[in-house]
Amino acid sequence: MSAPAVEVTEHTNRRSGGRLGRKALRGAPVTSFPTLVRKIPVYQMVPDEAVELIHEESLSILEEVGCEFRDDEAIAMWKAAGADVSETRVRIDRALLMELVSKVPSEFTLNARNPERTVQVGGNNSIFVPMYGAPYVRDLDNNRRYGTLADLNNFHKLAYMAPALHSSSSIICEPMEIAVPKRHLHIIHSALKHSDKPFMGIVTSKDRAEDTMAMAGIVFGADFVRDNPVLVAITNCNSPLVWDATMLDAMKVYARHNQPLILAPFALCGASTSASAVGAVAQVNAEALAGIAFTQLLRPGSPQIYGQFMVTVDMKTGAPMGGTPEAAQMMYLMGALARKYRLPWRTSGFHVGSKLNDAQAGYEANMLMHAAILAGANYIWHSAGWLEAGLTCGYSKFATDCEQLVGWYKYAGGLPFDDFKEAMAAIREVGPQGHFLGTQHTLDHFQSAFFIPSIMDFNSFEQWKAEGAKDHDTRGREKARNMLADYEEPKLDQGVADGLRDFIAQREERLPDSVS
């Protein structure tokens, strides 16, 4: 499907001044931080020999057991490439596998409609991306209910306003009132309309992926999106060892347009993998490498993201668990493997099982984000809003996660020494028994020296009580309300906006109202 003939010569919309400009002058960050360049060492939990052992076992799995590719075109392509194919089972020689994987660039540019929001993925770069796929929301009144298009619009607005989020994702929550065959059109429209950051594609069918690329073409120009990454799409291997037709269809659309895919096995460790952290990593690594290799049959040199979604299963109930130590340990192993292959890689940041934005959510989130940062993850997904193992996106959780991301951004940026000499001079200026509040050094640095959260409360008990004795969850909902009240839309060019509306109307006329 080709994009409608809407030519866009400039895909930027620079905004200045106004209420947000005045807030910026008061010290509140309102524009996106640039790509996070990590200036702290990565942490490798196991020696190189252990990483090599997992690597070798993964290659043996693909040679001896193989991986299912349930798509006729994919099977034909694997046969032509020289793989051992039996019906839908593909056994891939390690030399062929690693030759294909080596074609993936170690770093790529992810373009935004506002070039100031464009980011780099791979290498020492990290970006934070909000959650994806929640059917429910925990709303501004703390009620759990189905998500709506209005909620999705709100979350895209919040993602746009959050300085440490580098993408608007796409299906942050499902707009459940819209018919499934037409829902993707409104999801992508919301991401493109309410934010000018990079976004994520739809993968639930070939037609929906093509519609996504057509809409991207309206905004960026059809020629531009044939070769330049403007979105990231997620494809999940069905563990154990199955790439199904739906995911392969999406791979074909996006990889052939040079759009990066996250090749991420969806592993419930102990259920869809063995009950072993290292065993699970060996299997998931094999699954991810097989998917990455296939993308290079589709378009050699296309940018891709090595991915994983690995959670442990509660052996008492079978339910997926969130921020467990094993999930963090597996993250460190995947990071080491990604560095070995020189691949950009994705993991989850604030993925939690808690139903509320409570202490459990905080413990789980810290366990995983710390591992994501120290393991050197490049695309840190599910970094805002995630509750209840992804079933729910919470307004309070979204706002508090965004505030915490500012802290993590600063943490991973390392300790600057650029003002060290001036700080030492201030000590000599003040001397014993003085204070630093009036020194020039303090006046120059008080806004930037330390992380200053607005939702977390550090007041005295008496002050906290006088202000309503609000807990963290309540303050998060208030923050979300205030952010939405301050939102100003980054307007699309009128011709582009009209082109999107016309495309949606044309497609909705052809699409059914329900899934047959």
Side-chain angles (χ1 to χ4, degrees), residues 129-339:
V129 183
M131 73 164 294
Y132 179 106
Y136 299 100
V137 299
R138 184 161 288 279
D139 66 20
L140 291 168
D141 296 316
N142 204 24
N143 296 314
R144 181 184 184 268
R145 55 170 174 77
Y146 280 123
T148 66
L149 183 58
D151 291 311
L152 182 64
N153 295 163
N154 282 343
F155 285 125
H156 285 147
K157 293 173 183 178
L158 292 172
Y160 166 67
M161 296 184 74
L165 283 177
H166 299 95
S167 165
S168 299
S169 187
S170 61
I171 319 170
I172 296 177
C173 72
E174 293 273 5
M176 299 292 281
E177 78 273 29
I178 300 175
V180 169
K182 303 176 181 181
R183 189 177 294 174
H184 66 288
L185 300 168
H186 298 276
I187 291 168
I188 297 303
H189 183 244
S190 179
L192 291 170
K193 171 182 169 65
H194 296 109
S195 173
D196 59 7
K197 297 179 180 181
F199 67 106
M200 296 190 70
I202 303 294
V203 296
T204 48
S205 76
K206 178 182 179 182
D207 288 348
R208 294 170 195 169
E210 288 176 339
D211 284 347
T212 301
M213 289 310 308
M215 294 175 75
I218 294 170
V219 173
F220 291 86
D223 290 340
F224 189 83
V225 300
R226 272 192 282 272
D227 295 308
N228 298 283
V230 300
L231 60 84
V232 171
I234 174 67
T235 50
N236 290 126
C237 178
N238 291 332
S239 298
L241 298 164
V242 174
W243 284 101
D244 67 27
T246 300
M247 294 292 97
L248 292 169
D249 275 347
M251 278 191 215
K252 294 176 203 174
V253 173
Y254 291 120
R256 284 168 172 160
H257 279 87
N258 212 45
Q259 303 302 312
L261 294 142
I262 301 170
L263 290 305
F266 187 93
L268 301 176
C269 301
S272 61
T273 77
S274 60
S276 158
V278 292
V281 170
Q283 175 189 314
V284 165
N285 184 46
E287 294 165 338
L289 291 177
I292 288 169
F294 179 66
T295 66
Q296 301 308 294
L297 295 179
L298 294 165
R299 181 162 176 168
S302 59
Q304 307 298 336
I305 301 175
Y306 172 81
Q308 45 86 217
F309 184 90
M310 303 175 72
V311 295
T312 54
V313 169
D314 185 334
M315 293 300 176
K316 301 189 297 292
T317 66
M321 301 169 72
T324 63
E326 294 81 12
Q329 290 170 334
M330 291 186 289
M331 204 180 289
Y332 285 116
L333 289 176
M334 295 299 288
L337 288 161
R339 289 191 294 278

Side-chain angles (χ1 to χ4, degrees), residues 5-68:
V6 177
E7 290 298 322
V8 183
T9 58
E10 181 66 31
H11 58 271
T12 182
N13 182 29
R14 292 181 173 84
R15 302 167 64 242
S16 62
R19 177 168 42 181
L20 295 185
R22 291 192 296 274
K23 287 184 69 176
L25 292 175
R26 295 198 301 267
V30 294
T31 57
S32 289
F33 292 170
T35 306
L36 169 59
V37 180
R38 284 176 281 101
K39 296 179 181 177
I40 57 175
V42 294
Y43 177 69
Q44 185 159 314
M45 182 168 278
V46 298
D48 289 341
E49 293 80 5
V51 176
E52 194 64 26
L53 173 64
I54 292 172
H55 164 71
E56 290 294 329
E57 288 300 320
S58 297
L59 300 190
S60 294
I61 289 170
L62 291 177
E63 286 181 329
E64 298 166 13
V65 180
C67 186
E68 295 270 327

Side-chain angles (χ1 to χ4, degrees), residues 320-355:
M321 301 169 72
T324 63
E326 294 81 12
Q329 290 170 334
M330 291 186 289
M331 204 180 289
Y332 285 116
L333 289 176
M334 295 299 288
L337 288 161
R339 289 191 294 278
K340 174 181 175 62
Y341 306 133
R342 295 177 52 80
L343 292 172
W345 75 284
R346 164 261 169 158
T347 193
S348 299
F350 289 150
H351 165 232
V352 305
S354 182
K355 317 305 178 286

Side-chain angles (χ1 to χ4, degrees), residues 427-451:
I427 294 173
R428 289 163 173 80
E429 176 186 342
V430 171
Q433 297 189 16
H435 69 78
F436 291 80
L437 296 177
T439 65
Q440 189 60 48
H441 180 267
T442 299
L443 294 174
D444 290 343
H445 295 88
F446 76 96
Q447 287 186 313
S448 59
F450 308 116
F451 173 50

Side-chain angles (χ1 to χ4, degrees), residues 137-145 355-357 387 394-397 471 473-474 477 481:
V137 299
R138 184 161 288 279
D139 66 20
L140 291 168
D141 296 316
N142 204 24
N143 296 314
R144 181 184 184 268
R145 55 170 174 77
K355 317 305 178 286
L356 301 170
N357 189 21
L387 288 170
Y395 279 84
S396 175
K397 181 69 159 47
D471 63 14
D473 193 27
T474 301
R477 287 194 298 278
R481 278 196 187 93

